[in-house]
Amino acid sequence: MLRNGLEPWHLLIVAVMFILLFGAKKLPDTARSLGKSLRILKSEAKAMKTDDTPSAPPEPLAQPSPPVPTRERPDGSP
């Protein structure tokens, strides 16, 4: 009964259900949109993979010098 999982007649039933649910006019548009989405996903994944491997180590940030403490005079002048 369930030896192979999907038999050819299972795929036929799924195809008929898609045509009945979405209609024959919307199926090409849906397939085209799905193809565009997969291409975008593939290109973004490739871009992320190339971003993970840096070509040169980043330069260290310059450390700011600490502020010089000043003493205030009792009359308020610096």
Side-chain angles (χ1 to χ4, degrees):
M1 284 186 195
L2 292 176
R3 298 175 304 221
N4 295 337
L6 285 178
E7 304 257 342
W9 63 274
H10 288 122
L11 297 175
L12 180 66
I13 291 174
V14 170
V16 169
M17 292 303 295
F18 270 111
I19 291 172
L20 289 176
L21 287 174
F22 296 110
K25 283 188 174 185
K26 288 190 178 183
L27 283 179
D29 294 335
T30 305
R32 192 174 302 115
S33 298
L34 182 63
K36 284 181 183 178
S37 299
L38 288 176
R39 269 184 260 135
I40 291 170
L41 179 67
K42 185 178 176 181
S43 67
E44 291 295 324
K46 190 181 290 185
M48 286 177 58
K49 188 180 286 187
T50 58
D51 286 346
D52 287 345
T53 56
S55 58
E59 295 181 17
L61 297 175
Q63 297 291 331
S65 61
V68 178
T70 58
R71 295 177 62 185
E72 289 187 26
R73 296 185 181 176
D75 62 351
S77 62

XYZ file of all heavy atoms in Angstrom:
596
model
N 0.819 -1.201 0.000
C 0.000 0.000 0.000
C 0.862 1.264 0.000
O 0.849 2.017 -0.959
C -0.911 0.019 1.215
C -2.082 -0.887 1.108
S -3.134 -0.626 2.526
C -4.115 -2.054 2.396
N 1.610 1.509 1.052
C 2.435 2.718 1.130
C 3.912 2.350 1.014
O 4.732 2.730 1.823
C 2.167 3.447 2.453
C 0.801 4.072 2.600
C 0.634 4.674 3.984
C 0.567 5.138 1.561
N 4.249 1.614 -0.023
C 5.635 1.190 -0.194
C 6.529 2.340 -0.630
O 7.593 2.556 -0.070
C 5.727 0.089 -1.247
C 4.996 -1.170 -0.912
C 5.089 -2.078 -2.098
N 4.559 -1.353 -3.266
C 3.793 -1.879 -4.191
N 3.497 -3.144 -4.150
N 3.321 -1.167 -5.179
N 6.126 3.078 -1.637
C 6.999 4.074 -2.261
C 6.669 5.514 -1.903
O 7.284 6.423 -2.404
C 6.959 3.926 -3.784
C 7.528 2.606 -4.227
O 8.309 1.998 -3.510
N 7.121 2.155 -5.387
N 5.720 5.763 -1.098
C 5.381 7.140 -0.748
C 4.507 7.794 -1.795
O 3.302 7.844 -1.667
N 5.106 8.307 -2.865
C 4.352 8.976 -3.926
C 4.352 8.135 -5.192
O 5.396 7.854 -5.766
C 4.947 10.345 -4.238
C 4.686 11.447 -3.236
C 5.387 12.718 -3.682
C 3.226 11.701 -3.038
N 3.206 7.763 -5.614
C 3.031 7.025 -6.866
C 2.612 8.037 -7.936
O 2.213 9.162 -7.612
C 1.944 5.963 -6.694
C 2.210 5.016 -5.550
C 2.723 3.670 -6.006
O 2.544 3.352 -7.188
O 3.291 2.961 -5.185
N 2.682 7.704 -9.207
C 2.293 8.655 -10.256
C 0.858 9.156 -10.139
O 0.579 10.326 -10.413
C 2.491 7.863 -11.547
C 3.500 6.830 -11.212
C 3.277 6.503 -9.765
N -0.052 8.324 -9.716
C -1.435 8.793 -9.603
C -1.603 9.765 -8.444
O -2.501 10.596 -8.459
C -2.417 7.618 -9.518
C -2.259 6.736 -8.316
C -1.435 5.683 -8.176
C -2.973 6.862 -7.095
N -1.576 5.132 -6.934
C -2.527 5.842 -6.252
C -3.953 7.736 -6.625
C -3.002 5.664 -4.958
C -4.429 7.561 -5.348
C -3.955 6.535 -4.520
N -0.710 9.713 -7.431
C -0.748 10.719 -6.361
C -0.421 12.096 -6.938
O -1.060 13.101 -6.602
C 0.265 10.391 -5.263
C -0.104 9.219 -4.421
N 0.713 8.130 -4.302
C -1.196 8.958 -3.665
C 0.155 7.254 -3.492
N -1.024 7.735 -3.099
N 0.616 12.139 -7.775
C 1.004 13.409 -8.399
C -0.099 13.943 -9.303
O -0.315 15.163 -9.382
C 2.302 13.234 -9.185
C 3.528 12.841 -8.343
C 4.725 12.586 -9.244
C 3.830 13.909 -7.335
N -0.803 13.062 -9.990
C -1.914 13.477 -10.841
C -3.029 14.103 -10.007
O -3.574 15.152 -10.379
C -2.440 12.275 -11.642
C -3.605 12.555 -12.584
C -3.155 13.490 -13.697
C -4.147 11.264 -13.144
N -3.337 13.496 -8.876
C -4.380 14.044 -7.991
C -3.955 15.415 -7.466
O -4.761 16.355 -7.426
C -4.682 13.068 -6.832
C -5.379 11.823 -7.373
C -5.535 13.740 -5.766
C -5.586 10.738 -6.346
N -2.691 15.565 -7.084
C -2.205 16.857 -6.585
C -2.289 17.912 -7.687
O -2.710 19.051 -7.445
C -0.761 16.717 -6.053
C -0.140 18.066 -5.767
C -0.747 15.851 -4.806
N -1.927 17.572 -8.926
C -1.995 18.517 -10.037
C -3.433 18.949 -10.309
O -3.714 20.133 -10.526
C -1.382 17.892 -11.287
N -4.372 18.004 -10.288
C -5.784 18.333 -10.503
C -6.288 19.243 -9.394
O -7.028 20.207 -9.654
C -6.625 17.042 -10.621
C -8.107 17.347 -10.566
C -6.282 16.299 -11.898
N -5.873 18.994 -8.161
C -6.318 19.838 -7.041
C -5.779 21.268 -7.193
O -6.491 22.231 -6.918
C -5.867 19.234 -5.708
C -6.564 17.929 -5.358
S -8.371 18.073 -5.297
C -8.563 19.173 -3.925
N -4.527 21.407 -7.628
C -3.980 22.742 -7.852
C -4.757 23.479 -8.930
O -5.062 24.664 -8.787
C -2.496 22.665 -8.258
C -1.551 22.711 -7.095
C -0.823 21.594 -6.750
C -1.390 23.871 -6.363
C 0.054 21.630 -5.688
C -0.518 23.925 -5.299
C 0.205 22.789 -4.958
N -5.083 22.796 -9.996
C -5.829 23.440 -11.078
C -7.219 23.837 -10.606
O -7.710 24.927 -10.921
C -5.894 22.513 -12.312
C -4.507 22.390 -12.922
C -6.875 23.041 -13.350
C -4.400 21.353 -14.016
N -7.865 22.987 -9.811
C -9.194 23.316 -9.309
C -9.163 24.453 -8.294
O -10.038 25.320 -8.281
C -9.846 22.080 -8.676
C -10.285 20.982 -9.647
C -10.811 19.781 -8.869
C -11.350 21.505 -10.593
N -8.135 24.463 -7.431
C -8.068 25.497 -6.391
C -7.663 26.854 -6.946
O -8.250 27.881 -6.590
C -7.092 25.077 -5.297
C -7.562 23.962 -4.370
C -6.431 23.562 -3.428
C -8.766 24.416 -3.560
N -6.655 26.888 -7.795
C -6.110 28.165 -8.242
C -6.575 28.586 -9.620
O -6.454 29.745 -9.980
C -4.576 28.103 -8.214
C -4.028 27.915 -6.834
C -3.436 26.724 -6.484
C -4.105 28.920 -5.888
C -2.927 26.527 -5.216
C -3.607 28.740 -4.622
C -3.012 27.536 -4.280
N -7.051 27.678 -10.397
C -7.481 28.011 -11.749
C -6.322 27.990 -12.719
O -5.173 28.221 -12.356
N -6.623 27.712 -13.955
C -5.580 27.570 -14.965
C -4.917 28.908 -15.296
O -3.769 28.944 -15.716
C -6.166 26.951 -16.224
N -5.609 30.040 -15.102
C -5.027 31.345 -15.429
C -3.982 31.765 -14.414
O -2.989 32.398 -14.769
C -6.126 32.414 -15.475
C -6.956 32.374 -16.717
C -7.868 33.566 -16.750
C -8.616 33.636 -18.069
N -9.415 34.850 -18.140
N -4.177 31.449 -13.152
C -3.260 31.922 -12.117
C -2.032 31.039 -11.953
O -1.039 31.472 -11.383
C -3.978 32.014 -10.766
C -4.954 33.154 -10.704
C -5.455 33.351 -9.306
C -6.397 34.524 -9.234
N -6.830 34.781 -7.877
N -2.065 29.821 -12.430
C -0.928 28.915 -12.243
C 0.358 29.415 -12.909
O 1.413 29.380 -12.273
C -1.276 27.505 -12.714
C -2.155 26.711 -11.754
C -2.462 25.342 -12.332
C -1.523 26.571 -10.399
N 0.350 29.908 -14.152
C 1.605 30.421 -14.727
C 2.156 31.625 -13.966
O 3.360 31.739 -13.759
C 1.231 30.807 -16.161
C 0.033 30.000 -16.466
C -0.698 29.857 -15.165
N 1.274 32.527 -13.529
C 1.724 33.683 -12.756
C 2.317 33.252 -11.420
O 3.325 33.794 -10.968
C 0.565 34.650 -12.507
C 0.058 35.289 -13.792
O 0.852 35.369 -14.759
O -1.122 35.694 -13.819
N 1.683 32.279 -10.799
C 2.183 31.778 -9.523
C 3.540 31.115 -9.699
O 4.454 31.336 -8.902
C 1.176 30.774 -8.919
O -0.105 31.402 -8.828
C 1.607 30.313 -7.553
N 3.701 30.321 -10.737
C 4.972 29.659 -11.000
C 6.062 30.687 -11.318
O 7.202 30.558 -10.858
C 4.822 28.674 -12.149
N 5.714 31.726 -12.050
C 6.681 32.778 -12.384
C 7.118 33.514 -11.116
O 8.316 33.768 -10.908
C 6.046 33.760 -13.368
C 7.011 34.717 -14.000
C 6.347 35.577 -15.071
N 5.752 34.766 -16.134
C 4.440 34.709 -16.395
N 3.602 35.411 -15.680
N 3.994 33.954 -17.372
N 6.173 33.833 -10.251
C 6.496 34.512 -8.997
C 7.354 33.633 -8.101
O 8.293 34.117 -7.453
C 5.218 34.898 -8.258
O 4.460 35.796 -9.020
N 7.046 32.358 -8.072
C 7.838 31.431 -7.266
C 9.263 31.340 -7.809
O 10.232 31.330 -7.043
C 7.184 30.045 -7.262
C 7.861 28.978 -6.421
C 7.841 29.356 -4.952
C 7.169 27.641 -6.628
N 9.415 31.318 -9.109
C 10.747 31.287 -9.721
C 11.558 32.526 -9.399
O 12.748 32.451 -9.080
N 10.916 33.702 -9.469
C 11.614 34.946 -9.126
C 12.042 34.936 -7.666
O 13.150 35.350 -7.326
C 10.702 36.149 -9.383
C 10.553 36.502 -10.837
C 9.657 37.713 -10.998
C 9.434 38.058 -12.441
N 8.533 39.210 -12.600
N 11.153 34.474 -6.797
C 11.473 34.429 -5.373
C 12.652 33.506 -5.104
O 13.531 33.827 -4.299
C 10.259 33.964 -4.573
O 9.191 34.850 -4.729
N 12.685 32.357 -5.776
C 13.791 31.425 -5.583
C 15.104 32.009 -6.108
O 16.156 31.816 -5.493
C 13.486 30.094 -6.264
C 12.421 29.244 -5.577
C 12.132 27.985 -6.389
C 12.845 28.874 -4.173
N 15.059 32.745 -7.227
C 16.269 33.379 -7.743
C 16.795 34.437 -6.781
O 17.994 34.541 -6.549
C 16.001 34.011 -9.109
C 16.297 33.053 -10.242
C 16.127 33.702 -11.585
N 14.804 33.259 -12.048
C 13.889 34.025 -12.602
N 14.129 35.286 -12.826
N 12.731 33.542 -12.965
N 15.883 35.218 -6.211
C 16.283 36.247 -5.244
C 16.886 35.591 -4.005
O 17.923 36.022 -3.493
C 15.084 37.142 -4.881
C 14.694 38.005 -6.073
C 15.403 38.011 -3.673
C 13.380 38.747 -5.886
N 16.251 34.544 -3.527
C 16.751 33.839 -2.351
C 18.142 33.266 -2.614
O 19.042 33.367 -1.779
C 15.787 32.723 -1.958
C 16.185 31.871 -0.763
C 16.167 32.698 0.511
C 15.264 30.680 -0.628
N 18.336 32.699 -3.791
C 19.630 32.114 -4.144
C 20.716 33.186 -4.212
O 21.818 32.998 -3.701
C 19.513 31.399 -5.491
C 20.745 30.666 -5.904
C 20.520 29.942 -7.218
C 21.774 29.261 -7.707
N 21.560 28.583 -8.987
N 20.405 34.332 -4.827
C 21.408 35.391 -4.938
C 21.732 35.992 -3.570
O 22.894 36.306 -3.286
C 20.939 36.477 -5.901
O 19.828 37.161 -5.374
N 20.739 36.139 -2.705
C 20.990 36.672 -1.365
C 21.808 35.697 -0.530
O 22.692 36.107 0.225
C 19.667 36.988 -0.656
C 18.921 38.158 -1.251
C 19.663 39.467 -1.112
O 20.339 39.680 -0.088
O 19.581 40.282 -2.037
N 21.536 34.410 -0.663
C 22.316 33.413 0.072
C 23.759 33.417 -0.405
O 24.690 33.298 0.401
C 21.696 32.032 -0.102
N 23.970 33.579 -1.721
C 25.330 33.639 -2.258
C 26.035 34.893 -1.758
O 27.216 34.850 -1.414
C 25.282 33.635 -3.780
C 26.646 33.458 -4.435
C 26.548 33.479 -5.944
C 25.859 32.223 -6.424
N 25.842 32.111 -7.900
N 25.323 36.010 -1.682
C 25.915 37.252 -1.193
C 26.281 37.134 0.287
O 27.329 37.622 0.719
C 24.956 38.418 -1.406
N 25.436 36.477 1.064
C 25.741 36.288 2.481
C 26.959 35.388 2.654
O 27.768 35.597 3.551
C 24.542 35.695 3.214
C 23.428 36.683 3.449
S 22.004 35.972 4.236
C 22.682 35.332 5.732
N 27.092 34.391 1.790
C 28.227 33.483 1.890
C 29.522 34.220 1.587
O 30.533 33.999 2.249
C 28.052 32.313 0.931
C 29.093 31.220 1.110
C 28.884 30.092 0.137
C 27.693 29.268 0.569
N 27.535 28.047 -0.247
N 29.517 35.118 0.604
C 30.725 35.867 0.282
C 31.010 36.923 1.339
O 32.164 37.292 1.544
C 30.623 36.538 -1.097
O 29.495 37.401 -1.117
C 30.517 35.511 -2.195
N 29.990 37.420 2.031
C 30.202 38.389 3.103
C 30.832 37.745 4.325
O 31.501 38.412 5.102
C 28.883 39.048 3.511
C 28.399 40.041 2.482
O 29.189 40.409 1.597
O 27.229 40.449 2.564
N 30.630 36.459 4.531
C 31.170 35.771 5.695
C 32.676 35.594 5.622
O 33.336 35.455 6.637
C 30.512 34.385 5.863
C 29.090 34.496 6.360
O 28.717 35.584 6.846
O 28.355 33.496 6.277
N 33.249 35.606 4.442
C 34.687 35.427 4.299
C 35.323 36.783 4.014
O 35.353 37.247 2.886
C 35.010 34.452 3.147
O 34.390 34.953 1.957
C 34.483 33.067 3.443
N 35.860 37.462 5.045
C 36.454 38.785 4.825
C 37.756 38.661 4.057
O 38.533 37.738 4.235
C 36.693 39.309 6.239
C 36.795 38.097 7.092
C 35.909 37.054 6.440
N 38.012 39.620 3.169
C 39.215 39.589 2.348
C 40.413 40.153 3.112
O 41.530 39.735 2.909
C 38.995 40.375 1.056
O 38.638 41.703 1.370
N 40.208 41.115 3.987
C 41.299 41.694 4.776
C 40.782 41.914 6.202
O 39.606 42.232 6.402
C 41.738 43.014 4.166
N 41.650 41.766 7.199
C 41.190 42.005 8.569
C 40.860 43.478 8.769
O 41.522 44.350 8.203
C 42.373 41.570 9.438
C 43.554 41.586 8.533
C 43.031 41.349 7.150
N 39.845 43.767 9.552
C 39.474 45.172 9.763
C 40.544 45.893 10.576
O 41.228 45.304 11.401
C 38.160 45.088 10.525
C 38.179 43.742 11.167
C 38.976 42.855 10.261
N 40.678 47.180 10.304
C 41.655 47.986 11.034
C 41.127 48.279 12.430
O 39.933 48.542 12.607
C 41.907 49.296 10.296
C 42.549 49.116 8.941
C 42.794 50.443 8.261
O 42.775 51.480 8.949
O 42.992 50.437 7.050
N 41.999 48.256 13.442
C 41.534 48.552 14.805
C 41.162 50.028 14.924
O 41.769 50.896 14.279
C 42.730 48.190 15.687
C 43.909 48.242 14.772
C 43.406 47.892 13.407
N 40.184 50.295 15.732
C 39.747 51.669 15.941
C 40.743 52.386 16.842
O 41.335 51.798 17.749
C 38.365 51.683 16.592
C 37.230 51.079 15.767
C 35.958 51.065 16.586
C 37.019 51.893 14.512
N 40.946 53.666 16.594
C 41.861 54.453 17.411
C 41.238 54.687 18.785
O 40.052 55.014 18.903
C 42.149 55.780 16.724
N 42.035 54.507 19.819
C 41.555 54.717 21.183
C 41.630 56.208 21.516
O 42.668 56.837 21.335
C 42.414 53.927 22.185
C 42.353 52.432 21.974
C 40.979 51.891 22.341
O 40.288 52.430 23.189
N 40.583 50.833 21.660
N 40.543 56.784 22.005
C 40.593 58.201 22.373
C 41.445 58.375 23.635
O 41.483 57.517 24.501
C 39.135 58.564 22.628
C 38.482 57.270 22.946
C 39.238 56.215 22.193
N 42.155 59.491 23.685
C 42.979 59.753 24.864
C 42.079 60.151 26.029
O 41.057 60.811 25.851
C 43.991 60.853 24.564
O 43.298 62.037 24.219
N 42.440 59.754 27.248
C 41.597 60.089 28.403
C 41.656 61.593 28.669
O 42.660 62.246 28.407
C 42.217 59.286 29.546
C 43.614 58.996 29.117
C 43.593 58.967 27.615
N 40.590 62.153 29.182
C 40.598 63.598 29.466
C 41.578 63.932 30.600
O 41.784 63.141 31.509
C 39.153 63.895 29.867
C 38.602 62.584 30.295
C 39.339 61.537 29.528
N 42.176 65.097 30.483
C 43.131 65.545 31.497
C 42.341 66.172 32.633
O 41.541 67.091 32.415
C 44.120 66.570 30.883
C 45.084 67.088 31.935
C 44.840 65.966 29.702
N 42.542 65.682 33.873
C 41.797 66.272 34.995
C 42.290 67.688 35.282
O 43.474 67.979 35.216
C 42.088 65.326 36.158
C 43.327 64.596 35.779
C 43.387 64.582 34.294
N 41.366 68.565 35.551
C 41.711 69.949 35.896
C 41.197 70.237 37.291
O 40.189 69.667 37.742
C 41.089 70.939 34.904
O 39.682 70.759 34.909
C 41.633 70.714 33.501
N 41.880 71.107 37.956
C 41.450 71.508 39.299
C 40.822 72.887 39.208
O 41.363 73.791 38.582
C 42.646 71.549 40.236
C 43.236 70.155 40.438
C 44.445 70.171 41.274
N 44.159 70.666 42.594
C 45.077 70.888 43.538
N 46.336 70.660 43.270
N 44.747 71.344 44.716
N 39.678 73.004 39.783
C 39.031 74.323 39.795
C 39.508 75.121 41.001
O 39.729 74.586 42.087
C 37.516 74.153 39.847
C 36.935 73.623 38.563
C 35.415 73.643 38.613
O 34.834 74.448 39.339
O 34.835 72.801 37.906
N 39.634 76.391 40.802
C 40.028 77.262 41.915
C 38.796 77.643 42.703
O 37.679 77.647 42.183
C 40.713 78.514 41.354
C 41.999 78.162 40.644
C 42.689 79.394 40.228
N 43.917 79.016 39.533
C 44.711 79.868 38.974
N 44.425 81.147 38.996
N 45.807 79.458 38.386
N 38.974 77.961 43.950
C 37.812 78.300 44.790
C 37.049 79.518 44.307
O 35.850 79.625 44.531
C 38.419 78.572 46.173
C 39.825 78.158 46.138
C 40.204 77.930 44.710
N 37.676 80.424 43.567
C 36.938 81.606 43.091
C 36.169 81.320 41.809
O 35.476 82.186 41.291
C 37.906 82.779 42.912
C 38.977 82.486 41.867
O 39.084 81.324 41.411
O 39.698 83.433 41.504
N 36.254 80.097 41.249
C 35.470 79.702 40.073
C 36.191 79.885 38.769
O 35.675 79.525 37.723
N 37.408 80.449 38.759
C 38.146 80.615 37.505
C 38.947 79.338 37.218
O 39.379 78.667 38.147
C 39.073 81.827 37.591
O 40.026 81.609 38.615
N 39.165 79.033 35.987
C 39.893 77.795 35.656
C 41.378 77.876 35.879
O 42.029 78.772 35.992
C 39.603 77.566 34.190
C 38.980 78.784 33.663
C 38.598 79.645 34.823
